[in-house]
Amino acid sequence: RKNMLINLILYLLYLLYFWTILSTIRVCYKESKVGWPVTPYKKLIPFTIYNTTVSIIQLIHILPMSYFMTKYNRHIFIWNQLSWNFKILFPTWWGKIKWHGLENIPTYKCIWIGNHQSTLDKAIMMMLPCKTPMIDTSGNGILSLFGISPNNGINFQKKCKEALNNGMSINIFPQGTCQHINKGILPLKREAFDIAYDTNVPILPYSISYKPMNITVRIRKPIYVNNVTDTMNSLKLI
């Protein structure tokens, strides 16, 4: 039995090792598609290894503790636990974030939308000073939080509206993915604007700009969507 336990531990460590390698390769590949070096590789690789390891350790206590919680309390708890990692140690790896427009953040629920140009966007998103509970709807986030495919537009909107009706804010990257070389700002997908129009919940645009060890986040004033097409055409994400 002792040998079986040791073998099991070694097997899990091997899985962690290969998962970390694959995660690092995936992140490096995505960053290589960005038109300029948002993430220096000399920091990207150790940060990815560190973040993957810490996230797994966090899950060991997050999953058992969240089992007895209600659905939305569970989402908030997981969000807060995972964001702690970024809030404490992000400045060490990437520098201090400069926040502009904090006075524009409403005290009520809203739909945060931002430009998507790096894998670091998700870390910054988890540190947004939202004044209500907020959850992620981007990429794999929607799979883990809602259990649905991000390509299923009907379910996506339904679950987002459900979260808003429960007093939560949501974050959506309307570009849908990181921008690639020479493509600039990708076309905005309309789901966020449809949700804002249907629920009468304002959109809160924000933009992220990167310089070495200097990240700036600018938060704009809330926008109520009276016309989906006009709002999409007039909104510029930079």
Side-chain angles (χ1 to χ4, degrees):
R1 290 183 178 180
K2 183 178 180 181
N3 289 336
M4 289 181 60
L5 180 60
I6 293 175
N7 290 335
L8 178 60
I9 293 174
L10 290 175
Y11 177 73
L12 292 175
L13 290 175
Y14 281 129
L15 284 179
L16 174 61
Y17 175 73
F18 286 112
W19 185 21
T20 301
I21 292 177
L22 291 175
S23 298
T24 303
I25 292 174
R26 178 175 177 270
V27 171
C28 289
Y29 174 75
K30 290 183 68 176
E31 289 298 312
S32 70
K33 297 296 183 180
V34 179
W36 34 271
V38 170
T39 308
Y41 291 126
K42 63 182 180 181
K43 289 189 176 183
L44 176 65
I45 293 176
F47 177 78
T48 303
I49 295 173
Y50 154 79
N51 184 56
T52 302
T53 305
V54 171
S55 296
I56 293 173
I57 295 174
Q58 285 179 318
L59 286 175
I60 294 175
H61 79 273
I62 286 176
L63 293 179
M65 293 180 66
S66 64
Y67 179 79
F68 299 99
M69 298 180 182
T70 61
K71 180 174 64 172
Y72 285 101
N73 285 337
R74 184 184 305 120
H75 294 177
I76 296 170
F77 174 72
I78 293 174
W79 179 274
N80 289 336
Q81 289 294 308
L82 295 179
S83 64
W84 172 86
N85 174 24
F86 297 113
K87 291 178 181 178
I88 299 299
L89 295 173
F90 190 92
T92 302
W93 295 90
W94 308 109
K96 186 177 179 180
I97 299 177
K98 295 181 179 178
W99 301 94
H100 297 278
L102 294 177
E103 68 279 3
N104 294 326
I105 303 175
T107 57
Y108 44 84
K109 61 189 176 185
C110 55
I111 302 172
W112 294 70
I113 64 170
N115 57 320
H116 196 9
Q117 55 196 326
S118 169
T119 53
L120 286 182
D121 296 341
K122 188 155 186 162
I124 294 174
M125 172 201 64
M126 299 188 79
M127 294 185 287
L128 291 173
C130 186
K131 296 181 181 180
T132 66
M134 184 170 68
I135 55 176
D136 174 23
T137 65
S138 62
N140 292 333
I142 196 166
L143 292 175
S144 59
L145 291 177
F146 291 139
I148 63 173
S149 169
N151 296 321
N152 190 329
I154 296 177
N155 278 337
F156 177 85
Q157 293 198 31
K158 178 182 177 181
K159 294 299 182 180
C160 287
K161 292 176 184 178
E162 184 179 340
L164 292 169
N165 290 334
N166 279 273
M168 307 178 73
S169 295
I170 60 176
N171 182 91
I172 298 177
F173 292 124
Q175 293 171 275
T177 185
C178 296
Q179 66 182 26
H180 286 204
I181 296 175
N182 299 325
K183 287 190 176 181
I185 298 298
L186 299 178
L188 304 183
K189 298 180 180 181
R190 63 176 290 143
E191 283 81 3
F193 304 92
D194 286 333
I195 294 168
Y197 179 80
D198 292 341
T199 60
N200 199 35
V201 173
I203 279 178
L204 190 64
Y206 67 97
S207 60
I208 306 171
S209 61
Y210 292 94
K211 292 181 180 179
M213 298 302 290
N214 187 356
I215 299 173
T216 302
V217 179
R218 290 182 172 85
I219 302 168
R220 317 296 177 175
K221 293 183 178 181
I223 300 173
Y224 279 90
V225 178
N226 297 318
N227 183 289
V228 174
T229 302
D230 289 346
T231 304
M232 291 179 64
N233 290 337
S234 62
L235 183 62
K236 304 295 183 183
L237 295 175
I238 57 175

